[in-house]
Amino acid sequence: MESICQRSLCNSIITSRFSSSSLPRLNSYEPRLRLGIGQKIQRKLQVVSCAPETMSLTDSPVKNSNEVKLWGGRFEENVTDAVERFTESISYDKTLYKQDIMGSKAHATMLAHQGLISDSDRDSILTGLDEIERIIEAGKFVWRADREDVHMNIEAALTDLIGEPAKKLHTARSRNDQVLTDFRLWCRDAIDEIIAHIQRLQVSLVTLATKNEGLIVPGYTHLQRAQPVLLQHLLLSYVEQLERDAGRLVDCKVRLNFCPLGACALAGTGLPINRFMTSDALGFTAPMRNRYGP
């Protein structure tokens, strides 16, 4: 019974997220997958000024002795440059900046709604995150390798920009659930983009098939010519293969679209957070049901 209910839920999610009004009709070979429209957080925020540094990621950063790594509590000395280079991930996970900022905005809004931070602190955080996103997209943000990853880079920049309120952003959140939330948001966006490319390829194949009606070509099996086939039949076989690929991606999106926020460092928090609020704000189906280790 539970599996039947789960399948019904998945089918309803797919039906609601993929409408038929956005793509051209292609008779019997119309692609049946439709892009979902993710929810976005839109806020009118006052922009504050920020003078970005000029150091590039490849430069040797001037380390701030006051900055303490999240995992560095058991170490008395700083790590060597070789370890710094080995442990950094900012060179590739900076791609997640948009998802990281999006998640932080939803989290800060929830904290204020629950009375865990003040409305003024929330507004400062949201304004600062907007400014950081603007600087990143302008290509002026300095990604520092000594800050390891996208999360620490943005958090440190936010602290430099707005001061004490930035430190409250990690209330009831750890880098564990933050990382996984960012990654799920990124995967969800990537799936939508891939499906869009698949649909355009399907449209091109169907268009080519309709322009070559009746054209006979040799069919191949094991790299050898076999029976003659219509070019339309050959091209539409790829349309069907791509449809199955897109279906697997849709299924993957349905499975991953649950929000890890609230797991914190391991198994939740005693603070009165609202996991459904952040899940809804980020366009997830629901929070993950078990919070033990995101």
Side-chain angles (χ1 to χ4, degrees):
M1 177 65 70
E2 182 179 356
S3 61
I4 294 175
C5 292
Q6 289 174 343
R7 285 198 297 270
S8 299
L9 175 62
C10 290
N11 290 334
S12 65
I13 292 170
I14 293 173
T15 303
S16 64
R17 284 181 177 271
F18 295 87
S19 63
S20 60
S21 61
S22 58
L23 293 174
R25 300 189 62 82
L26 296 171
N27 299 324
S28 61
Y29 279 95
E30 177 186 2
R32 293 177 291 279
L33 301 174
R34 301 295 176 253
L35 291 179
I37 302 175
Q39 298 180 4
K40 297 182 179 179
I41 302 174
Q42 297 180 345
R43 297 185 176 277
K44 296 181 180 180
L45 301 173
Q46 180 181 1
V47 176
V48 298
S49 62
C50 175
E53 304 170 70
T54 57
M55 185 194 316
S56 68
L57 180 62
T58 55
D59 292 333
S60 298
V62 179
K63 296 181 182 179
N64 184 347
S65 59
N66 294 324
E67 288 189 13
V68 179
K69 295 184 184 299
L70 292 180
W71 50 264
R74 295 179 180 271
F75 297 92
E76 295 180 357
E77 299 180 4
N78 291 333
V79 298
T80 65
D81 290 339
V83 173
E84 207 70 91
R85 291 192 298 271
F86 181 76
T87 58
E88 69 84 17
S89 62
I90 189 60
S91 56
Y92 55 88
D93 69 13
K94 61 184 178 182
T95 306
L96 300 173
Y97 79 89
K98 188 176 291 290
Q99 289 78 18
D100 192 74
I101 290 174
M102 183 179 176
S104 291
K105 286 181 177 180
H107 186 68
T109 302
M110 181 275 295
L111 291 177
H113 182 269
Q114 297 298 107
L116 295 171
I117 64 173
S118 67
D119 288 348
S120 61
D121 284 342
R122 174 203 60 201
D123 293 342
S124 295
I125 290 170
L126 295 178
T127 303
L129 289 171
D130 271 355
E131 176 66 5
I132 289 172
E133 185 172 14
R134 184 192 68 78
I135 294 172
I136 292 173
E137 293 181 347
K140 297 178 180 179
F141 189 84
V142 179
W143 298 105
R144 284 178 46 174
D146 63 314
R147 287 174 174 170
E148 296 184 19
D149 57 29
V150 62
H151 324 289
M152 293 302 296
N153 267 266
I154 290 177
E155 184 176 320
L158 184 63
T159 302
D160 293 341
L161 183 61
I162 68 172
E164 193 66 25
K167 299 177 182 179
K168 301 178 183 180
L169 184 56
H170 251 296
T171 303
R173 184 178 73 170
S174 78
R175 199 157 48 159
N176 292 349
D177 55 353
Q178 184 181 0
V179 168
L180 192 56
T181 300
D182 290 359
F183 188 60
R184 285 178 178 238
L185 288 171
W186 183 89
C187 286
R188 193 177 69 187
D189 293 341
I191 287 173
D192 284 345
E193 185 176 355
I194 293 170
I195 289 177
H197 286 302
I198 288 176
Q199 290 177 324
R200 283 193 287 272
L201 179 54
Q202 287 178 305
V203 169
S204 297
L205 288 170
V206 172
T207 301
L208 184 60
T210 56
K211 290 181 178 179
N212 290 276
E213 185 175 357
L215 180 60
I216 299 175
V217 296
Y220 283 80
T221 176
H222 301 290
L223 303 180
Q224 299 183 42
R225 287 189 176 185
Q227 66 190 96
V229 296
L230 291 173
L231 178 61
Q232 290 173 303
H233 191 70
L234 175 62
L235 293 174
L236 295 178
S237 72
Y238 291 111
V239 173
E240 292 298 325
Q241 291 176 47
L242 290 167
E243 187 83 351
R244 291 191 290 272
D245 290 337
R248 295 183 186 100
L249 289 169
V250 170
D251 184 58
C252 177
K253 180 178 177 179
V254 170
R255 290 173 181 271
L256 70 80
N257 200 39
F258 292 87
C259 186
L261 280 177
C264 299
L266 181 62
T269 175
L271 295 173
I273 61 174
N274 187 334
R275 298 176 62 224
F276 287 90
M277 182 176 178
T278 49
S279 174
D280 291 343
L282 294 170
F284 284 107
T285 303
M288 296 181 72
R289 288 184 294 186
N290 191 309
R291 292 180 290 181
Y292 188 85

